[in-house]
Amino acid sequence: MTEQEDFLRQFLRCEADLRALVGAVVRDVHVREDVYQEIALTLWQHFDRYDPSRPFGAWARGVAAKKLLERFSGDRRLPLVLSPDAILKLVEAADRSESQPAPGFEALEHCLGKLPEKSRRLLTLRYSQAQPLAAIAAEFRATQTAVYQALSRLRRRLRDCMQQYLAAHGGV
């Protein structure tokens, strides 16, 4: 498994938690998405600092909390909804409650592993590296429409594969 694939697998596991953390702190939907993308990019850029002996989710939430505090500590136009102490308490509570990954994550790992390298690269560029469609289209020498359609097919393929996996393995 490449470093990109490892990052994508682990990032997807904690994506909902990160979005929830950002959503709890940032009310404006546009700012929330900008902050989330900034956190995702920071995680990718600093993935080499992640210690694999520790839970990825805890590391990612720590980076997110630090980024949130940095971004909003001096910006009076966008005050924090929660105090810095409350943000840190949220992260600590999430770290304490982190347990075995849900069956869906196991299914996702399985299904991602079945995809061809080109498909995993496309998913990595779009969802791990948050590349715009235009940049991905340029890299793949395709139109933006073709990239959009390929991503739609991949999401549908992953969904179907995960449903089959979960049905066969007693998941939800």
Side-chain angles (χ1 to χ4, degrees):
M1 181 178 303
T2 67
E3 180 182 32
Q4 291 173 336
E5 292 168 341
D6 186 32
F7 175 81
L8 178 61
R9 179 180 55 81
Q10 297 195 64
F11 179 76
L12 289 174
R13 279 186 175 171
C14 71
E15 180 179 18
D17 289 344
L18 291 174
R19 284 192 181 276
L21 175 62
V22 174
V25 176
V26 182
R27 290 292 174 218
D28 182 277
V29 69
H30 301 293
V31 175
R32 182 183 318 143
E33 188 58 29
D34 288 346
V35 170
Y36 175 77
Q37 293 297 328
E38 190 177 319
I39 290 167
L41 182 61
T42 301
L43 290 171
W44 170 248
Q45 290 171 335
H46 299 289
F47 186 57
D48 61 331
R49 297 181 187 170
Y50 164 63
D51 176 3
S53 68
R54 304 201 43 160
F56 180 85
W59 175 73
R61 284 187 298 275
V63 170
K66 182 178 178 189
K67 194 55 106 173
L68 284 164
L69 293 172
E70 284 174 2
R71 172 111 185 228
F72 294 102
S73 65
D75 194 342
R76 300 230 184 266
R77 293 172 296 133
L78 297 168
L80 288 171
V81 175
L82 301 173
S83 70
D85 190 48
I87 293 169
L88 296 175
K89 296 278 188 217
L90 259 176
V91 170
E92 289 172 13
D95 290 348
R96 282 192 306 273
S97 67
E98 189 167 28
S99 61
Q100 288 289 85
F105 294 119
E106 185 178 309
L108 179 61
E109 284 181 6
H110 168 78
C111 294
L112 282 171
K114 292 175 65 174
L115 292 176
E117 176 64 32
K118 185 176 179 181
S119 296
R120 288 193 307 264
R121 174 78 179 138
L122 181 61
L123 290 168
T124 298
L125 287 171
R126 184 63 178 157
Y127 299 112
S128 290
Q129 297 179 15
Q131 292 291 316
L133 287 177
I136 298 169
E139 180 170 327
F140 279 87
R141 296 189 175 141
T143 65
Q144 289 184 44
T145 302
V147 170
Y148 179 82
Q149 290 173 344
L151 287 166
S152 293
R153 285 190 300 272
L154 281 170
R155 286 191 302 268
R156 198 168 30 255
R157 184 174 171 185
L158 284 172
R159 184 196 65 225
D160 293 346
C161 176
M162 289 175 66
Q163 287 173 345
Q164 290 174 351
Y165 183 90
L166 291 170
H169 292 86
V172 177

